[in-house]
Amino acid sequence: MKSSGMISVIMTCHNEEAYIAQAVGSVLDQAAFDRVCEILIVNDGSTDRSGAILEKLAGENSKLKVLSAAGVGPSAARNLALAEAKGEYIAILDGDDIWAPGKLELQLPVIERDPRIGLVYGDFYDFSKDDMSDCRLMRVRQFDAGMENLLETYFVEGGPIIPSTTIIRAKVFETVEPFNVSLRLNEDAELFLRIAEQWSFQYVPGKLLFKRVHARNLTARIDTQLPAAEAITAQLVNRNPRLKNYASRRMARRYGRAGSDCLSK
């Protein structure tokens, strides 16, 4: 039985001793923390001090529960937490990201007012410096619950929808399989595409998230992310033949974005 009106926060941690306490602190600092029934953190094979930090945090707050995994990766780790979750709503937070204090307070009324909405999300700030002096607002595409062509638009245009900005209705996972454990890249977008096949999305404006940006390997993006996007495209078209006419546009945008990123560097 799900806890009506309550939120399960799910987090993963792999060697994030420098960031995990701040991430957890941003949950504890939520204006709507009274609506959080549990914080489920999967320590996914960390070999640094993350485990000790998490155990200390769990000893200080009864809502926090630490689960253990042996380096299974983000998808399987999130699924482990999902299987334990008791809340009516699921809020994802990566172990190196930081929620703004009003994040849940802004989003909860939106997802509660319309049973068609399976997922709410929003804009975010990215930063790479610890003092956040390089913080930049990143605006995302705005989908709303009244859209009739959500799947087609999200399939082609993307969002991006950042997992740490989302709240997902737990009932979604009665009709949609959780994260695809065979994927190590684009696993979040692949899940959100499957949700879009059956549910509505709603953009929520306001300050929601500070996302930490780490140095990226652009060669890896071209060599691995683009083939992963090709595979996901093929899977979606196989399930939804009407998307076939959109597939080339989807991939053209992704190749163009990868090329722009390379040039910008």
Side-chain angles (χ1 to χ4, degrees):
M1 179 70 69
K2 297 296 184 182
S3 298
S4 180
M6 300 298 284
I7 305 167
S8 293
V9 178
I10 68 170
M11 303 178 63
T12 59
C13 175
H14 177 72
N15 290 341
E16 287 166 335
E17 62 180 4
Y19 313 123
I20 190 64
Q22 188 176 23
V24 171
S26 75
V27 179
L28 303 179
D29 289 341
Q30 287 296 297
F33 185 68
D34 61 316
R35 298 288 299 276
V36 173
C37 63
E38 58 189 351
I39 307 168
L40 302 172
I41 307 180
V42 180
N43 181 13
D44 189 22
S46 296
T47 56
D48 61 3
R49 294 184 58 254
S50 295
I53 293 169
L54 290 173
E55 291 302 328
K56 180 177 184 296
L57 291 169
E60 296 169 351
N61 194 293
S62 61
K63 291 186 179 182
L64 198 157
K65 180 180 180 181
V66 180
L67 308 174
S68 295
V72 295
S75 292
R78 286 172 175 165
N79 288 349
L80 178 62
L82 282 171
E84 294 275 333
K86 299 178 177 64
E88 184 177 0
Y89 305 105
I90 306 295
I92 298 171
L93 178 61
D94 287 342
D96 58 350
D97 290 343
I98 304 164
W99 278 346
K103 193 262 187 192
L104 299 180
E105 187 176 48
L106 286 170
Q107 292 183 308
L108 270 170
V110 177
I111 198 168
E112 288 181 317
R113 76 185 181 207
D114 189 339
R116 297 175 301 168
I117 298 172
L119 177 152
V120 294
Y121 71 102
D123 300 326
F124 62 99
Y125 292 83
D126 74 8
F127 71 98
S128 60
K129 297 181 179 179
D130 288 341
D131 64 0
M132 297 187 183
S133 59
D134 60 344
C135 194
R136 301 180 302 163
L137 175 61
M138 308 298 288
R139 297 195 181 277
V140 301
R141 196 170 307 280
Q142 300 180 17
F143 302 113
D144 67 70
M147 286 186 68
E148 295 182 357
N149 60 342
L150 169 64
L151 178 59
E152 291 85 350
T153 305
Y154 182 50
F155 179 70
V156 174
E157 307 288 348
I161 295 176
I162 304 301
S164 293
T165 71
T166 64
I167 295 179
I168 303 172
R169 193 181 299 275
K171 193 174 182 179
V172 162
F173 296 106
E174 296 176 10
T175 60
V176 177
E177 291 294 317
F179 288 93
N180 186 337
V181 298
S182 71
L183 297 176
R184 289 284 178 153
L185 292 169
N186 299 334
E187 70 280 354
D188 47 358
E190 191 270 344
L191 171 62
F192 300 155
L193 280 163
R194 288 189 283 114
I195 294 174
E197 291 175 333
Q198 302 186 46
W199 294 83
S200 296
F201 292 177
Q202 182 62 58
Y203 166 86
V204 179
K207 183 184 290 187
L208 302 179
L209 173 73
F210 297 90
K211 180 169 183 57
R212 197 179 304 271
V213 178
H214 301 282
R216 294 185 301 170
N217 185 325
L218 291 176
T219 301
R221 173 167 186 156
I222 294 173
D223 290 347
T224 59
Q225 289 198 15
L226 290 174
E230 293 271 15
I232 291 169
T233 298
Q235 292 169 10
L236 263 291
V237 170
N238 186 56
R239 284 201 308 274
N240 303 275
R242 72 183 188 276
L243 295 179
K244 183 177 181 179
N245 293 334
Y246 300 91
S248 60
R249 287 167 54 194
R250 168 181 161 84
M251 289 311 305
R253 290 184 66 87
R254 278 144 189 80
Y255 275 88
R257 190 178 303 134
S260 295
D261 284 353
C262 287
L263 290 173
S264 69
K265 302 298 181 182

